[in-house]
Amino acid sequence: MVAAGYSGSSPAKKLSLKPGMRARYDGMPTSVRADIEPIGLIELGQPEATLTACSSS
């Protein structure tokens, strides 16, 4: 029996991840990381600076 709302597709397929794409793994569950690591993503480090959103009036 499949749980309601679960399609059976891997997180990598759901996110349309492709080799060479860049990603941050911060806070990613270990099980998801294990699923997407074989794809060949480029792991990004911590951001150098905090982004600040501002609006123009």
Side-chain angles (χ1 to χ4, degrees), residues 7-42:
S7 68
S9 296
S10 71
K13 184 173 183 178
K14 289 178 185 177
L15 297 170
S16 300
L17 299 175
K18 306 280 187 255
M21 287 181 154
R22 300 177 302 160
R24 271 192 70 220
Y25 291 10
D26 185 44
M28 183 180 295
T30 306
S31 60
V32 174
R33 185 175 180 141
D35 181 63
I36 67 173
E37 277 186 331
I39 293 172
L41 299 177
I42 299 167

